[in-house]
Amino acid sequence: MSAKQTYNTITPLFSVEVIEKRVSEIGKTISDDFAMLTDESPILLIVVLKGAFMFAADLLRTITIPCGIDFIHASSYGSEKTSSGSVSIKHNLAITDRHILLVEDIIDTGLTIQQISAELLAMKPASLGICTLLDKPDARKHPVAITYTGFVVPNAFIVGYGIDYNERFRELPSLGVLNS
Ligand code: 5GP
């Protein structure tokens, strides 16, 4: 597929400038909320791979307090453009007594983040917050308490800014809706 055809399949949603501004607002809010943490006990961002990697990298650069980073891999089984009822979670984390902020790309039905949260809460962190770039409330089936949201979006299939369709479109610097 040519570059022109690629862009014809995507309807722009959020530009580079809009994303940059919103990410920096969230980074400032997080920095204010966790200003009491020290170098000895920093906040730990846990990035849900793969889709949140670009958001997390930009977010980390806007946070002005001590901050660690680690990763968790989650994938759902099912058809290509819908979330399924089963999530595979892989990690090697030690988070007892740590202040954790989960960083996710999209919360859709809520199943993935609900299952990750349950698994991490069982490890007794000091606190567990959820930061998502995109929230699709109309698709929600499993209730989730989101702490920080980038953008509330309609129930469409979104790609770009690290978020893929079959490993494509992650490299796009902006966000758009993939036309079927
Ligand atoms: P949930 O478990 O909340 O239904 O689904 C969350 C995961 O499904 C996201 O982390 C993402 O991997 C995938 N997902 C949900 N909506 C979209 C979308 O619009 N575009 C893409 N590329 N993935 C999505």
Side-chain angles (χ1 to χ4, degrees):
M1 187 182 280
S2 71
K4 190 168 175 225
Q5 280 172 316
T6 298
Y7 285 95
N8 280 346
T9 63
I10 296 170
T11 305
L13 193 58
F14 299 113
S15 67
V16 171
E17 294 73 23
V18 168
I19 296 169
E20 196 177 281
K21 180 169 178 289
R22 186 69 193 118
V23 171
S24 115
E25 285 167 359
I26 299 172
K28 179 169 186 336
T29 308
I30 292 170
S31 305
D32 291 346
D33 289 353
F34 289 92
M36 74 295 185
L37 297 188
T38 61
D39 282 340
E40 290 72 46
S41 172
I43 183 175
L44 179 64
L45 301 190
I46 296 184
V47 185
V48 183
L49 295 173
K50 299 178 190 171
F53 81 94
M54 204 176 280
F55 171 44
D58 285 345
L59 183 66
L60 185 63
R61 277 177 278 204
T62 68
I63 293 176
T64 54
I65 54 166
C67 188
I69 191 159
D70 214 326
F71 301 90
I72 189 166
H73 195 276
S75 49
S76 54
Y77 305 106
S79 64
E80 287 171 342
K81 284 168 93 181
T82 55
S83 298
S84 70
S86 178
V87 181
S88 153
I89 300 170
K90 294 180 196 156
H91 67 85
N92 185 19
L93 299 166
I95 59 164
T96 305
D97 296 330
R98 301 289 308 270
H99 290 280
I100 304 300
L101 189 57
L102 269 172
V103 181
E104 175 63 302
D105 57 353
I106 305 177
I107 299 184
D108 186 36
T109 66
L111 180 72
T112 305
I113 208 72
Q114 198 184 65
Q115 294 205 355
I116 293 173
S117 302
E119 193 157 325
L120 297 191
L121 281 171
M123 299 168 77
K124 307 252 181 281
S127 68
L128 181 72
I130 295 171
C131 175
T132 187
L133 175 66
L134 303 175
D135 177 21
K136 286 188 192 173
D138 294 344
R140 196 77 83 254
K141 291 184 185 154
H142 308 272
V144 180
I146 303 174
T147 324
Y148 308 100
T149 301
F151 305 100
V152 174
V153 292
N155 206 354
F157 195 81
I158 294 165
V159 294
Y161 194 58
I163 302 168
D164 77 314
Y165 171 57
N166 277 349
E167 292 300 328
R168 294 197 51 213
F169 308 117
R170 285 195 204 278
E171 72 282 8
L172 300 181
S174 57
L175 284 157
V177 173
L178 183 64
N179 304 315
S180 52

